């Protein structure tokens, strides 16, 4: 019966996963990740509670008056990521 199968499908009533299935983090989740990162701790993924991996991304152009220094935080489990330009205080 269809009602019985719905509990076994992702997003059904039987799914206990905190992952909502959205491809990107919400604005609130990004804010939590950012706050934890700038406090000096490596943040946990808000979807899977796994410690995120950080990678620095350099960049900028010789014509710019600054060189961008961004941080890319990646969840190794759900593969979602967030990129921040911490010095400028923005989300890229």
């Amino acid at each position: 019966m269809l009602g019985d199968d719905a509990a076994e499908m992702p997003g059904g009533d039987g799914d206990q996963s905190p992952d909502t299935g959205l491809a990107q983090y919400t604005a609130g989740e990004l804010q939590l990740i950012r706050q934890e990162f700038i406090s000096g701790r490596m943040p946990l993924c808000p979807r899977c509670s796994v410690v995120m991996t950080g990678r620095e991304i350099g960049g900028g152009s010789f014509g710019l008056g600054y060189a961008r220094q961004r941080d890319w935080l990646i969840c190794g489990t759900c593969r979602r990521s967030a990129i921040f330009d911490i010095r400028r205080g923005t989300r890229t």
Side-chain angles (χ1 to χ4, degrees):
M1 183 172 206
L2 182 60
D4 294 333
D5 294 336
E8 296 175 14
M9 294 177 61
D13 293 335
D15 186 16
Q16 299 298 316
S17 171
D19 188 352
T20 62
L22 299 174
Q24 296 181 349
Y25 290 121
T26 65
E29 289 170 332
L30 288 170
Q31 184 64 28
L32 289 173
I33 293 169
R34 184 179 179 353
Q35 287 174 348
E36 208 169 325
F37 186 71
I38 61 175
S39 72
R41 296 184 306 256
M42 190 53 72
L44 295 177
C45 172
R47 303 281 176 95
C48 356
S49 299
V50 172
V51 176
M52 299 181 83
T53 302
R55 295 193 181 165
E56 289 185 7
I57 303 173
S61 170
F62 292 111
L64 296 175
Y66 65 93
R68 295 179 77 169
Q69 186 64 43
R70 295 174 289 174
D71 289 283
W72 183 18
L73 303 175
I74 308 159
C75 175
T77 301
C78 70
R79 304 284 189 232
R80 288 178 177 87
S81 65
I83 298 176
F84 298 105
D85 194 340
I86 299 297
R87 292 183 191 179
R88 293 181 64 201
T90 59
R91 180 178 74 92
T92 306

